[in-house]
Amino acid sequence: MNREGQSVRAGFLQRPDRRRGGVRALALMFVALALAGCGGGAATMAIYDLTATATEAGTGRARAGVQILVPEPRALQALNTSSIAVKPSAQTISYYGQVQWADRLPRVLQTRIVQSFEDTGRVHAVGFPGEGLLISYQLPIEIRNFQLESGGAPNAVIEIAAKILDDRNGRVVASRVFRAEARASGDGVDSAVAAMDVALKQVLDELITWVVAEI
């Protein structure tokens, strides 16, 4: 026994029973605080997904034998997140509280691009890095805008820059910027996401049509 009436056994400090309740309560309090603070703020109340995929891909035959790799799009840190962005002014970017995308925005967009190629059936195969495809072309993309602009009438704005890269020799076949806007019915998150889906549909239709025409 030490002088405080505590015993040490097998390297563990054993406190008197009267203190265990307080220690246990304190531990539970820390767990509750950690859970409440997970994600840096209030708990996420809703998760939103984008459902738009391309339905237009120009005319003509499918590109036999062509296989396209879609890397994860690049974005500045403000958009490389699962938070849903809103811009009250040209210089200010904020986020809707207690909601988020189904994944980080670049990964959500990457998935919708792959699905768009698959749905239109205009190339032989399309996939993500690591899937072992014999790649013909890569499609590097940069996300420049993906938000609701709420400074005036609420407007969803999506802008991406895309390149078609010949994987055999590293040559850039073509490059283009795609931009679409869609009026939102309000500045709430439901209206914002619905308008982003409309704008994304336009961007994806134009993107897939352009890629198929260039390769």
Side-chain angles (χ1 to χ4, degrees), residues 50-52 73 79 84-85 87 101 105 108-109 112-113 141-149 155-161 176-183 192-207:
L50 293 164
T51 60
L79 294 175
I84 302 175
K87 290 186 73 172
W101 294 120
L105 177 61
V108 174
L109 179 59
R112 296 296 166 259
I113 292 171
I141 286 174
E142 175 192 2
I143 304 173
R144 295 184 175 180
N145 287 285
F146 211 113
Q147 70 273 337
L148 184 82
E149 297 189 351
N155 210 36
V157 178
I158 294 177
E159 182 178 351
I160 65 172
R176 182 174 164 184
V177 175
F178 299 87
R179 181 183 174 93
E181 301 183 11
R183 182 63 54 86
V193 171
M196 288 183 203
D197 237 359
V198 172
L200 179 59
K201 171 68 166 59
Q202 180 181 331
V203 165
L204 292 175
D205 279 342
E206 293 179 3
L207 174 68

Side-chain angles (χ1 to χ4, degrees), residues 75-139:
L76 293 176
Q77 185 176 352
L79 294 175
N80 189 12
T81 175
S82 60
S83 298
I84 302 175
V86 55
K87 290 186 73 172
S89 72
Q91 292 79 29
T92 307
I93 187 166
S94 187
Y95 306 97
Y96 288 100
Q98 297 182 280
V99 297
Q100 64 182 49
W101 294 120
D103 204 327
R104 287 187 302 104
L105 177 61
R107 292 184 58 123
V108 174
L109 179 59
Q110 180 189 28
T111 300
R112 296 296 166 259
I113 292 171
V114 170
Q115 289 178 340
S116 292
F117 277 110
E118 292 173 338
D119 291 350
T120 57
R122 297 300 305 281
V123 297
H124 178 69
V126 61
F128 301 89
E131 291 187 339
L133 296 178
L134 185 60
I135 302 302
S136 309
Y137 300 95
Q138 293 191 39
L139 190 62

